[in-house]
Amino acid sequence: MSAAELLEAIAAWPLASAMRRSAILYLVVNAGHILAIALLVGAIVPLDLRLLGFFGNTSLEVLGPFLSRAAAVGLALVVVTGFCLFSVRPAAYAGNPAFLIKLALLAVGAVNAILLQSSDAWRTVAAGGPIAGTVRLAAGISLLVWPGALLAGRWIGFL
């Protein structure tokens, strides 16, 4: 199957067709996407800031696992609702440079989070231990990548 055929198949998906026919359905999915972004960024930014040394009196043993799980749920919802929105006009989005930048940043952010979460350094932090330099580096990358993906997403409509 070629890329063009795949994009056509996505556009023919029943939910995509329903969203093109119903402004209300599109509105609900779009609002869900925005709420998912809020959950993701709203959880990850305070966690990253704490890992970088801000809010030093806040326990990472409690905060870390909770906020990382909240961010993971937000990311899962972002991907699901984002795919639904993409399915409405997949060919147009696939050729949009801002959309491609957004996807790249999402991939970098997800890989960064997976690598961090699977590291011994994260397990040490989550257990109340010291914050290693690698954890701080991952938090710094995260603070650049997730807002960058958000900005790229907003940029899509302007190209």
Side-chain angles (χ1 to χ4, degrees), residues 2-78:
S2 72
E5 291 170 331
L6 177 60
L7 293 173
E8 287 176 22
I10 292 170
W13 185 42
L15 183 58
S17 298
M19 287 176 56
R20 280 191 298 273
R21 288 190 312 270
S22 171
I24 292 173
L25 179 58
Y26 186 89
L27 172 74
V28 168
V29 173
N30 195 23
H33 192 62
I34 292 167
L35 289 171
I37 292 167
L39 178 58
L40 170 62
V41 175
I44 205 65
V45 168
L47 178 57
D48 289 340
L49 290 173
R50 176 58 186 94
L51 291 171
L52 290 170
F54 296 89
F55 320 117
N57 58 347
T58 307
S59 167
L60 270 169
E61 194 173 358
V62 173
L63 191 66
F66 171 74
L67 288 178
S68 64
R69 281 194 288 279
V73 169
L75 178 58
L77 293 171
V78 161

Side-chain angles (χ1 to χ4, degrees), residues 43-132:
I44 205 65
V45 168
L47 178 57
D48 289 340
L49 290 173
R50 176 58 186 94
L51 291 171
L52 290 170
F54 296 89
F55 320 117
N57 58 347
T58 307
S59 167
L60 270 169
E61 194 173 358
V62 173
L63 191 66
F66 171 74
L67 288 178
S68 64
R69 281 194 288 279
V73 169
L75 178 58
L77 293 171
V78 161
V79 169
V80 169
T81 56
F83 180 78
C84 292
L85 294 170
F86 170 78
S87 73
V88 173
R89 295 182 15 199
Y93 287 123
N96 186 309
F99 178 76
L100 299 175
I101 291 169
K102 176 183 176 178
L103 287 184
L105 289 170
L106 286 172
V108 169
V111 168
N112 183 52
I114 290 166
L115 290 175
L116 175 61
Q117 292 287 317
S118 63
S119 72
D120 289 334
W122 172 254
R123 284 187 280 285
T124 299
V125 167
I131 303 169

